[in-house]
Amino acid sequence: MNQEQFKELTGLYKVPVYWDRRYTKNLDQLSKPIYTVALESDVEIVLRDGCKIYCDVYHPAEIERAPALIAWSAYGKEMQAMRHGPLPGKSNYFDHSLEAGDMDFYVQRGYTFIIPNPRGIGKSEGEFYGIYNPQEQEDVYDVVEWAGTECKWGDGKVALHGYSYFGIIQPLVAALQPPHLTCIMPLSYTDDYYQHGHYGGVANTYMNMYWELCPSNNPVPWTLHEEGEEQTKERIAQAQEDPDIAINSFFNKIFTTWPPKYHTFYLDYLIHPNEDDFWKARSMKYKYDKLTVPTYFKCGWAPTGRWSAPVFNAMNSQDTKCYKRCGVMEGYNGMELPYRFMDEECLRWYDHWLKGIDTGITEEPPMKLNIIGRGYRYEHEYPLARTDWKKLYLHTFHQLRWEPPVEGKLPPDSFTHRPPHITTEVETLCYRTDRLSQPTEFTGPIELHLFAAIDAPDANIIVKLWQITAGGTRMPVCRTGQLKCSYPLDEEQSQIGRPVHDYSKRVPITPGEIREYVIEVNPIGMVFPAGSSIELEIKAMDNFEHQDGAWEGKMSHLGPIPSCNTVNYKIYRDADYPSYILLPYIPYPPAENWLQPVCDDNIVIGGSGKGATH
């Protein structure tokens, strides 16, 4: 089949690189773009407690009823329809809240597309308690049931749709088991919301962005709503005792506003520094036994944030009672919004479950991975059964070697963290391998075992992994691995490549004591070309992107909140204290695992055993 034949058969105009001709069936029955889009604005929905919220309903004009897709977030419904061309992250107009996707794509193919404003957002009544809160989860349940029973443009079958916020909320709602929910497809996902914002227990200003993304008309902190005024004030006072928090004037604004209407979600975030019930209510990892509808988990390999590990956690969970599959579909080239990359895969998924069309999607192996530098491949488990775990040891002269050190009692390397209120300089230690002699694949989880002595009762360790190309260019592989040292390792819960810490309590470290710290680093799936090198970077804070004269938005770019004190680190790497990074080396995979392209005209290829790329 060539590209023109594919267009004629399906009515589509793009052949996705992630389709395999062995499993892509009945393309002549796939929903085609034959309908025009009608819009019903500000449709009223009454929630179970009488609160009125409003949604926009996009539906096919030529038919009365169609399966419903609900795209839910607190980002505002009207702006999801704004179109000014696809925007990459480097655009000054890039807005990460454009995550509902392309409603026209689905409506033209016979779906009703519903975008609500949650309570307290836009024109909707009620109080906004912050993202993913338990009230919000119940509200989405109510909207699913409204779409399945009362929406005059729906046919009774309902799915949830969307990227990031729109994806994270989906399993939390599915765990409540609304009767009319047929399937979900979270296109970006996390199952541990504490780790999402406190990766390794290190508080991050990533959550700072939500005040400008959520157009709330009545924001209220969840802590105030749930625990009352006295307890909220007590938590604020405790947070202000943290010197790393107290020194920051941006945070002080949030703490000193009463009643707390300024940046209410980040207030909740700051006053819950350890994992507690606030975070557990927003974390799917505690609710997998309640997930019963078919679920397609999707993510991209994540050089920043903690996005891919949760997808594999979900696939490995023995508690889920549903059909599930996953795709790690994108590489490191960023994204464009509105998000369209997965439209064709979503269509196969929804057509299968909502329209009864056998698209072949459930016959594929359970995991579809985009191996960076090689192509798309199927796998059946994670970590891969054929993984050959390799230790890259830290050596003197900033070297990484496969051989362990043979001498002991060597002086350590060292660096000093100085806080950002006295300098913009960030000291680091970097260790690098020799050039690789052949293409080498690492796919799976990563962990760093680091022997270190720190002259403070607590400190942060930030880890990054880089590829140094044959030409000397430094390319990010994993820019996130971190740990607040006072959180103890839970050895019983930890698995190879996946260390677990107890984030409910902090145990101060003894200054000067040499200890082994085990740090999770983001999973990867990529081939390092011959002639390239691997570099490990260790530091105590991230580099602040400072521009002379620029003052807006610094908190959202600060990343891990640094210590306010000067802290000295000694890094040991000898026979007595062999620090190493554990990498998942993958021998050459079976040829049949590589996807076989749908088209045969070389316009699009999906990867092969010979290492074809797209």
Side-chain angles (χ1 to χ4, degrees), residues 418-451:
R418 289 172 292 163
H421 65 281
I422 64 171
T423 183
T424 58
E425 296 179 5
V426 178
E427 289 192 19
T428 70
L429 284 177
C430 292
Y431 298 85
R432 186 181 295 188
T433 67
D434 291 335
R435 295 178 185 269
L436 299 173
S437 60
Q438 61 185 16
T440 307
E441 178 182 332
F442 298 103
T443 295
I446 303 171
E447 67 183 27
L448 173 66
H449 289 247
L450 188 69
F451 285 95

Side-chain angles (χ1 to χ4, degrees), residues 281-576:
R282 294 156 174 79
S283 296
M284 191 61 200
K285 72 175 186 178
Y286 299 105
K287 307 177 184 184
Y288 278 133
D289 61 326
K290 301 293 193 295
L291 185 61
T292 58
V293 297
T295 303
Y296 191 141
F297 297 98
K298 177 267 170 190
C299 68
W301 299 113
T304 58
R306 190 177 184 267
W307 292 102
S308 47
V311 166
F312 294 118
N313 292 344
M315 293 299 293
N316 286 336
S317 171
Q318 301 300 310
D319 295 328
T320 50
K321 302 178 178 67
C322 64
Y323 170 80
K324 58 186 176 181
R325 59 177 298 101
C326 81
V328 184
M329 307 295 282
E330 293 154 310
Y332 294 164
N333 296 324
M335 74 184 78
E336 293 179 338
L337 295 177
Y339 188 71
R340 295 185 172 97
F341 178 74
M342 289 289 291
D343 280 350
E344 288 76 21
E345 189 85 339
C346 292
L347 186 65
R348 283 181 68 207
W349 180 256
Y350 296 138
D351 271 7
H352 179 91
W353 296 107
L354 298 177
K355 295 187 177 182
I357 300 170
D358 182 7
T359 64
I361 197 164
T362 59
E363 298 175 19
E364 296 184 56
M367 299 183 183
K368 183 158 47 179
L369 312 181
N370 179 10
I371 307 302
I372 307 302
R374 184 62 61 85
Y376 284 84
R377 190 173 74 210
Y378 291 116
E379 297 293 349
H380 294 269
E381 76 289 316
Y382 178 90
L384 309 190
R386 61 185 182 277
T387 302
D388 183 3
W389 298 100
K390 298 287 190 181
K391 295 180 179 179
L392 255 182
Y393 291 91
L394 282 64
H395 280 259
T396 56
F397 296 96
H398 304 285
Q399 297 180 87
L400 282 177
R401 293 182 177 178
W402 303 111
E403 305 83 16
V406 295
E407 295 184 60
K409 295 183 173 54
L410 295 178
D413 293 325
S414 65
F415 69 93
T416 299
H417 162 73
R418 289 172 292 163
H421 65 281
I422 64 171
T423 183
T424 58
E425 296 179 5
V426 178
E427 289 192 19
T428 70
L429 284 177
C430 292
Y431 298 85
R432 186 181 295 188
T433 67
D434 291 335
R435 295 178 185 269
L436 299 173
S437 60
Q438 61 185 16
T440 307
E441 178 182 332
F442 298 103
T443 295
I446 303 171
E447 67 183 27
L448 173 66
H449 289 247
L450 188 69
F451 285 95
I454 303 166
D455 69 347
D458 206 353
N460 302 333
I461 298 175
I462 311 296
V463 180
K464 295 188 178 185
L465 205 61
W466 301 84
Q467 176 193 149
I468 311 300
T469 68
T473 302
R474 199 180 194 216
M475 304 289 291
V477 175
C478 291
R479 289 183 283 178
T480 307
Q482 55 199 51
L483 179 68
K484 183 170 285 292
C485 296
S486 59
Y487 287 114
L489 181 70
D490 187 335
E491 295 187 16
E492 291 187 3
Q493 296 294 321
S494 297
Q495 301 179 48
I496 186 169
R498 291 167 288 176
V500 175
H501 293 79
D502 182 356
Y503 295 106
S504 67
K505 59 184 179 183
R506 299 184 187 182
V507 180
I509 60 179
T510 302
E513 178 185 36
I514 302 174
R515 296 180 54 179
E516 182 181 19
Y517 298 98
V518 186
I519 303 170
E520 179 187 82
V521 182
N522 271 341
I524 63 173
M526 69 180 299
V527 173
F528 289 77
S532 65
S533 303
I534 301 170
E535 183 177 86
L536 173 70
E537 181 182 17
I538 303 169
K539 51 189 175 180
M541 66 170 288
D542 224 338
N543 296 67
F544 181 61
E545 300 292 340
H546 177 73
Q547 296 180 353
D548 291 336
W551 58 271
E552 298 98 342
K554 287 188 176 180
M555 281 303 97
S556 61
H557 295 95
L558 181 62
I561 297 174
S563 171
C564 69
N565 295 311
T566 296
V567 182
N568 296 301
Y569 294 71
K570 293 180 179 179
I571 306 301
Y572 291 82
R573 28 90 201 102
D574 59 16
D576 299 320

Side-chain angles (χ1 to χ4, degrees), residues 20-201:
D20 188 309
R21 62 184 170 208
R22 294 169 294 179
Y23 303 103
T24 307
K25 297 168 54 177
N26 299 322
L27 293 180
D28 59 324
Q29 300 177 36
L30 203 65
S31 295
K32 302 174 183 60
I34 59 176
Y35 303 105
T36 55
V37 180
L39 170 61
E40 313 297 329
S41 299
D42 290 335
V43 176
E44 182 182 283
I45 301 174
V46 182
L47 303 175
R48 69 183 70 177
D49 62 355
C51 179
K52 296 177 182 178
I53 67 171
Y54 298 93
C55 67
D56 288 345
V57 180
Y58 301 81
H59 61 95
E62 292 80 8
I63 54 178
E64 289 187 2
R65 295 182 176 274
L69 305 178
I70 298 173
W72 180 285
S73 85
Y75 292 159
K77 59 185 177 65
E78 289 85 1
M79 51 88 65
Q80 299 299 328
M82 293 180 66
R83 294 293 181 263
H84 31 44
L87 297 178
K90 62 185 178 182
S91 167
N92 285 336
Y93 277 11
F94 179 81
D95 184 348
H96 210 308
S97 55
L98 281 169
E99 295 172 349
D102 188 350
M103 63 282 293
D104 290 351
F105 177 90
Y106 299 99
V107 177
Q108 290 169 0
R109 289 162 174 80
Y111 287 90
T112 293
F113 203 100
I114 302 170
I115 309 179
N117 269 344
R119 64 173 71 210
I121 298 293
K123 301 175 184 177
S124 293
E125 298 177 351
E127 298 174 333
F128 175 58
Y129 299 126
I131 59 178
Y132 317 130
N133 69 79
Q135 179 65 64
E136 180 176 46
Q137 296 170 34
E138 291 185 0
D139 290 349
V140 187
Y141 178 112
D142 291 353
V143 173
V144 168
E145 291 308 291
W146 173 85
T149 59
E150 299 181 45
C151 176
K152 64 181 182 180
W153 303 282
D155 70 355
K157 291 187 176 182
V158 183
L160 297 174
H161 176 77
Y163 180 83
S164 193
Y165 191 135
F166 296 79
I168 295 170
I169 192 68
Q170 293 183 37
L172 294 169
V173 175
L176 299 177
Q177 301 179 3
H180 286 84
L181 184 62
T182 303
C183 68
I184 61 175
M185 192 170 183
L187 297 180
S188 189
Y189 170 73
T190 181
D191 69 342
D192 186 335
Y193 209 61
Y194 177 77
Q195 283 285 292
H196 191 64
H198 292 77
Y199 192 16

